[in-house]
Amino acid sequence: MPEGAKVLIMGTFPPQPKRWAMNFYYPNRTNDFWPMMGLIFLGERDALYDRQARCFRLDDIKRLLAEKGIALNDTARKVRRLKDNASDKFLDIVEPVPLSDLLSQMPLCHTVVTTGEKAAGVVADLTGTPLPRMGEMVTTADGSLEIWRMPSTSRAYPLALEKKAAYYAEMFRHIGLI
């Protein structure tokens, strides 16, 4: 959570560590999250990836997040995988994250963005809001928080990187980050 975070992006748990390209959020090199962020903010899908080392540039990622005021967190503290894969379909949320406690640490954050349907469902349950349609947002009853549902950045989700980026870019424009 960078100081002055304006948006909190929340997903579900990552795949097994053997698939990681770094020890950070969205660590799987086949996930579209960091290529998408490179495309949106830096104009190049590989701007945050080192092809030779086959890993993400974590220092560049953290710098980008701090500059833009983007915080990341999982939607759960504890999960149970019902099958030996990273599919949200077989992910049981045992203990959701205490969202209000998390947001209390970010006084400038009035936007929560979910990366996929499972994460959106968890946040909807935690906030008592309806599940937004993909690419759209809902607000909490008191109007203090916008909750966006974005497409999953998993390659298993059948949408081209450029189309995923278009959804996220529109949301970032709406909240004033681009």
Side-chain angles (χ1 to χ4, degrees):
M1 289 186 292
E3 190 173 322
K6 299 174 193 96
V7 61
L8 171 61
I9 299 178
M10 304 184 80
T12 53
F13 268 51
Q16 297 173 347
K18 68 182 180 184
R19 295 182 167 269
W20 294 8
M22 67 176 167
N23 190 18
F24 197 64
Y25 295 91
Y26 304 97
N28 189 338
R29 72 177 62 77
T30 64
N31 188 288
D32 283 333
F33 190 83
W34 297 117
M36 180 188 70
M37 295 293 275
L39 191 60
I40 293 169
F41 291 109
L42 304 168
E44 183 186 336
R45 71 176 290 142
D46 288 335
L48 299 169
Y49 187 72
D50 183 332
R51 284 197 173 275
Q52 281 188 311
R54 294 181 42 108
C55 66
F56 293 103
R57 293 184 172 107
L58 188 53
D59 289 341
D60 292 345
I61 286 170
K62 288 181 177 182
R63 190 172 20 262
L64 173 68
L65 296 173
E67 286 172 6
K68 296 297 181 181
I70 300 171
L72 303 173
N73 207 81
D74 294 314
T75 53
R77 278 193 173 164
K78 293 180 185 175
V79 301
R80 180 176 33 247
R81 292 217 175 269
L82 305 176
K83 289 196 174 184
D84 192 23
N85 62 34
S87 172
D88 283 355
K89 185 177 181 179
F90 303 107
L91 182 68
D92 179 32
I93 305 293
V94 176
E95 182 183 338
V97 70
L99 184 58
S100 58
D101 291 350
L102 194 58
L103 289 170
S104 72
Q105 298 173 49
M106 298 180 281
L108 300 178
C109 181
H110 302 286
T111 306
V112 172
V113 177
T114 60
T115 59
E117 185 174 10
K118 183 79 165 193
V122 173
V123 171
D125 288 346
L126 291 171
T127 58
T129 56
L131 185 69
R133 294 178 200 217
M134 188 177 65
E136 296 182 4
M137 63 98 170
V138 297
T139 57
T140 53
D142 65 1
S144 65
L145 189 65
E146 290 184 352
I147 302 162
W148 289 79
R149 176 180 164 195
M150 294 289 108
S152 171
T153 57
S154 168
R155 287 273 174 87
Y157 188 75
L159 192 64
L161 172 66
E162 293 75 16
K163 289 184 179 184
K164 291 176 186 180
Y167 276 104
Y168 282 79
E170 183 60 33
M171 175 271 303
F172 286 130
R173 269 188 217 93
H174 175 82
I175 62 175
L177 293 189
I178 56 174

